[in-house]
Amino acid sequence: MLIRHAPDLTDNDVTDHGLYLERRTLMAGLAGVGLAGVGLAGAAAGEAQAQQAKAGLAFSKGFSTTEKATPREDVTGYNNFYEFGVDKGDPAEKSGRFKPRPWTVRIDGACEAPRTVGIEDLIGKNKLEERIYRMRCVEGWSMVIPWVGFPLKDLLASVKPTSKARFVAFETVMRPSEMPGQTWNTLDWPYREGLRIDEAMHPLTLMAVGLYGDVLPNQNGAPLRLVVPWKYGFKGIKSIVRISLVEQQPATAWNRLAPREYGFYSNVNPAVDHPRWSQATERRIGEFRRRETLPFNGYGEWVADLYRGMDLKRFY
């Protein structure tokens, strides 16, 4: 397979974080798809997670953009996580009471081997990779984030989906005593998201358990979140407790709240504006000038075929 880089990338613009000095390819587990190149935490939250992150995570190098990674302080301090509040600094400031250990995830629905698995088993029994992905928020800003995780397809394969599994539904934990944003009617809690089964099984779709080499901070979705790099960031549901294989398209949080503004697919598409703002450009956190938004966030070479023949203005 001929590997090409998106036109906005340069081999000389690699992050200096030490862990991220080279372009890498996806490991053998990518099932035949050849791929390559493509504010401050609050004191309470930081202290609560320091013990968990001491040993870091054992991982190999995987898929990477060659763009410079967004500084850690921005990745952990500028977040949308409405379970802790609607301001960008609320997740870091107000997530200190949240307890991401112990943790279990239920995988069920249209499968032959439903199971409940602990986060330690997910981390210990899956081959973790570092993947440096772009993240494009529907609000018009973006980051480049070095995630650590494993392909969602590996987890789904372990429960043996049946022919009725056409979609995958995800659900966030419901703990209003630890997540103060859930005491407000901002969204219909708990937060829910969904993917079509082929999207979920795509090699780029990641279950993230860490970033910058350490376990996920609370404000970034500890201990387990979804990362789908060609979709807007709100599709990346955080603090997941349930994954269900289903036959019908599942209801999702933002689509239920404002269906004209937030479609089920929510692929990054500069040609389809949000009803209240343009999606043609974006502001990379840490940069002054806006840049052009790439279709599918720059991952179209590997994911566009998923939507062949679809009207992407109708299925936005």
Side-chain angles (χ1 to χ4, degrees):
M1 177 178 179
L2 179 62
I3 303 303
R4 303 190 300 274
H5 294 283
D8 63 319
L9 306 183
T10 167
D11 289 336
N12 296 320
D13 195 19
V14 182
T15 177
D16 58 1
H17 185 260
L19 290 174
Y20 319 115
L21 298 177
E22 301 181 49
R23 288 179 298 152
R24 305 287 181 175
T25 58
L26 282 168
M27 308 305 287
L30 290 187
V33 180
L35 304 170
V38 42
L40 296 176
E47 181 178 354
Q49 292 161 56
Q51 296 300 317
Q52 300 171 11
K54 275 185 178 179
L57 294 167
F59 57 90
S60 61
K61 302 288 185 174
F63 181 83
S64 174
T65 176
T66 53
E67 290 185 89
K68 185 176 181 180
T70 302
R72 182 199 296 253
E73 57 267 27
D74 290 325
V75 175
T76 59
Y78 191 88
N79 306 110
N80 282 327
F81 197 171
Y82 278 29
E83 283 82 348
F84 296 108
V86 299
D87 292 334
K88 296 295 187 289
D90 284 344
E93 180 182 349
K94 299 179 181 179
S95 63
R97 295 177 59 189
F98 182 68
K99 299 177 178 62
R101 301 291 194 283
W103 194 273
T104 59
V105 180
R106 178 67 179 170
I107 306 103
D108 60 14
C111 59
E112 297 178 10
R115 58 192 289 228
T116 298
V117 60
I119 188 63
E120 290 78 12
D121 283 340
L122 286 176
I123 291 175
K125 295 182 179 180
N126 285 282
K127 183 182 292 184
L128 301 185
E129 294 180 354
E130 171 203 272
R131 297 193 185 177
I132 307 177
Y133 283 162
R134 300 181 189 91
M135 192 283 288
R136 171 62 153 82
C137 181
V138 72
E139 296 170 343
W141 53 269
S142 63
M143 294 182 177
V144 177
I145 302 177
W147 302 105
V148 177
F150 58 91
L152 172 60
K153 69 183 184 66
D154 293 348
L155 181 59
L156 296 181
S158 73
V159 299
K160 301 179 181 179
T162 70
S163 60
K164 291 185 177 180
R166 298 178 60 243
F167 295 88
V168 183
F170 304 85
E171 186 175 309
T172 293
V173 71
M174 185 70 182
R175 291 188 194 164
S177 63
E178 299 175 22
M179 305 172 102
Q182 289 180 335
T183 63
W184 297 86
N185 294 326
T186 313
L187 290 168
D188 182 15
W189 310 113
Y191 197 94
R192 294 179 176 88
E193 256 306 335
L195 297 174
R196 209 169 60 192
I197 187 67
D198 55 346
E199 298 176 315
M201 298 295 284
H202 193 279
L204 287 181
T205 304
L206 190 72
M207 298 302 292
V209 297
L211 59 81
Y212 266 116
D214 295 328
V215 297
L216 277 176
N218 285 354
Q219 63 265 34
N220 293 97
L224 183 71
R225 67 168 290 164
L226 177 69
V227 178
V228 191
W230 67 93
K231 294 180 178 289
Y232 291 118
F234 69 87
K235 295 293 288 185
I237 185 171
K238 307 172 181 74
S239 304
I240 298 169
V241 291
R242 189 175 183 184
I243 301 171
S244 299
L245 293 148
V246 296
E247 189 170 5
Q248 302 299 320
Q249 179 176 302
T252 60
W254 282 102
N255 182 248
R256 290 186 64 178
L257 180 70
R260 288 188 60 254
E261 299 186 15
Y262 307 103
F264 175 81
Y265 286 94
S266 292
N267 293 317
V268 177
N269 190 343
V272 177
D273 291 336
H274 186 281
R276 290 179 281 132
W277 57 79
S278 170
Q279 295 289 18
T281 64
E282 64 196 67
R283 179 178 63 89
R284 178 66 50 79
I285 298 301
E287 296 180 358
F288 177 73
R289 295 182 180 275
R290 298 185 70 84
R291 58 170 67 201
E292 291 186 1
T293 292
L294 300 174
F296 298 108
N297 205 23
Y299 300 98
E301 180 176 0
W302 299 285
V303 303
D305 281 350
L306 296 175
Y307 311 100
R308 187 182 299 275
M310 289 179 62
D311 181 348
L312 296 183
K313 291 187 176 181
R314 177 185 176 190
F315 299 101
Y316 56 93

